[in-house]
Amino acid sequence: MEAYNQYFLGGSALMSEILPKIQRLKKQTKQNVYRDNANARRLIANAKVFGVPLKELERRDSNGIPTVVLECCRFIEEKGLELEGIFRISGDQNDVVSLKNAIDSGKSLDQCEPKDPHTVAALLKLYLRELPEPLLTTSRFESFVKAVAKEDEEEKALLENLKQVVETLPKSSYRTLEHLLLFTNRVDAKSAVNRMTSRNLATCLSPNLLYLKDKDKDSASSTSTKALEDASRSTRAIELLIAHAPTVFPNPPAVVASLPFPSPAELLGNLICALNTSSSSSSSCTGTLSPNVSPPGRRSGEDGRTPDEEEE
């Protein structure tokens, strides 16, 4: 009888010691879940991609290149590299708008399951056009135009002029331009099939890469003659950069493939499921992400450019 008494007294003392720890752990778990819920809601609010400054997207994307650019280039390379008129023929505008809205809600291009490379090419041009500042930046517009202004100058000299301006770009613009031009160079390599030479590609892409927004045009650049000259030289600049992209960017860093990452809505669902299962015996949630999968972290120094090269 004494043994039983000691046994229960010992168990009671042990429970008295453990119970406060269990209560603290339960409280901490709920606080963490509520905090992560709030973070997930902030992610949903910040899921917008189109019209967002490159530097903001750079903080989200592990490669320093907007994911939408990587995904569009990869899709076209896999399914549209030899498609005649790629970037010239317009895709279905309703599909373009639907893809844009889906991506702005947090979905990836792969999750949208697009079918037509022309539509994806149009989506990429739309993304570039809706950047708050042109990819090659407003402040460097005149420098790019002047770099190719001397029509009698040798192509090698013009290219060197352009390369010097490219090297002054902010890191986010530089990395994105590097990936885009090396990709379009591969499109140009298939021009015997797709009919898209570097000149044709530049005609389609320069209005989305190198231009002045209306608010940035002065009275001189607004004249019809100056505007036509600038448009012609912008196209020439992009043509040379596409045709000689491997020379301009001789050592591009490897683009790290991102792990599959759920949309913000899926994240929120996972967190709610975690809250519900924390108080039950079940530990699994149908359709949720494995706890071992997490968004890839930023890789530093892989582009070979120093932090002081990035503009404020």
Side-chain angles (χ1 to χ4, degrees):
M1 193 66 181
E2 182 64 25
Y4 277 108
N5 188 41
Q6 291 298 321
Y7 173 81
F8 285 113
L9 286 174
S12 177
L14 182 61
M15 285 301 297
S16 298
E17 181 181 348
I18 292 176
L19 191 58
K21 295 180 180 179
I22 293 175
Q23 294 293 343
R24 284 198 300 271
L25 180 60
K26 185 177 179 181
K27 183 178 179 181
Q28 182 180 359
T29 300
K30 284 188 175 181
Q31 287 174 342
N32 289 342
V33 171
Y34 293 148
R35 180 200 63 204
D36 291 343
N37 252 328
N39 289 339
R41 290 191 181 95
R42 279 193 292 273
L43 274 173
I44 293 172
N46 296 328
K48 187 173 169 61
V49 171
F50 285 76
V52 175
L54 269 180
K55 287 184 69 175
E56 173 61 30
L57 294 181
E58 184 189 15
R59 298 187 184 101
R60 307 183 199 172
D61 300 307
S62 61
N63 292 293
I65 304 168
T67 297
V68 65
V69 173
L70 294 176
E71 291 182 330
C72 286
C73 291
R74 184 178 70 244
F75 182 90
I76 296 168
E77 187 143 21
E78 291 175 355
K79 301 184 179 182
L81 203 60
E82 298 185 352
L83 192 62
E84 185 172 339
I86 191 68
F87 284 108
R88 177 176 58 82
I89 296 175
S90 299
D92 186 289
Q93 289 306 302
N94 290 331
D95 289 347
V96 172
V97 172
S98 295
L99 287 173
K100 173 190 172 182
N101 292 338
I103 289 170
D104 269 345
S105 71
K107 287 187 176 181
S108 68
L109 184 66
D110 289 342
Q111 290 172 323
C112 298
E113 298 183 347
K115 307 297 182 186
D116 181 19
H118 289 305
T119 298
V120 175
L123 181 74
L124 178 56
K125 289 193 293 183
L126 178 64
Y127 167 76
L128 294 169
R129 188 69 184 183
E130 290 194 358
L131 284 172
E133 183 177 37
L135 183 63
L136 273 64
T137 72
T138 300
S139 62
R140 292 167 181 78
F141 177 82
E142 289 297 333
S143 297
F144 276 110
V145 167
K146 289 178 181 178
V148 295
K150 296 182 179 179
E151 296 180 2
D152 58 343
E153 199 167 357
E154 290 186 4
E155 189 170 285
K156 184 178 180 180
L158 295 178
L159 188 64
E160 184 58 34
N161 295 341
L162 287 170
K163 189 175 179 181
Q164 289 177 8
V165 184
V166 166
E167 289 174 349
T168 70
L169 286 169
K171 184 173 68 173
S172 53
S173 295
Y174 182 95
R175 285 295 316 278
T176 303
L177 182 69
E178 176 182 46
H179 188 81
L180 189 62
L181 291 180
L182 289 170
F183 160 67
T184 49
N185 179 265
R186 296 192 292 275
V187 177
D188 175 40
K190 297 286 186 179
S191 60
V193 180
N194 61 37
R195 308 295 183 187
M196 294 303 292
T197 62
S198 57
R199 178 67 179 182
N200 291 340
L201 287 166
T203 301
C204 296
L205 290 174
S206 62
N208 307 294
L209 294 172
L210 183 58
Y211 64 96
L212 287 176
K213 292 183 179 289
D214 290 339
K215 66 181 180 65
D216 297 315
K217 294 178 182 178
D218 56 28
S219 56
S221 63
S222 296
T223 63
S224 58
T225 303
K226 178 68 164 58
L228 288 173
E229 285 181 354
D230 286 350
S232 175
R233 290 169 181 170
S234 296
T235 300
R236 178 61 172 158
I238 299 302
E239 177 189 4
L240 288 173
L241 288 172
I242 291 174
H244 301 281
T247 300
V248 179
F249 306 103
N251 300 301
V255 175
V256 180
S258 298
L259 291 171
F261 188 57
S263 70
E266 290 171 326
L267 276 176
L268 183 57
N270 290 342
L271 291 171
I272 292 172
C273 181
L275 178 60
N276 292 336
T277 57
S278 64
S279 59
S280 69
S281 58
S282 174
S283 59
S284 63
C285 294
T286 303
T288 58
L289 194 69
S290 165
N292 293 325
V293 178
S294 59
R298 289 188 52 77
R299 292 167 61 89
S300 59
E302 65 180 9
D303 56 7
R305 292 167 66 76
T306 55
D308 59 346
E309 288 176 302
E310 183 176 359
E311 288 189 345
E312 295 297 330

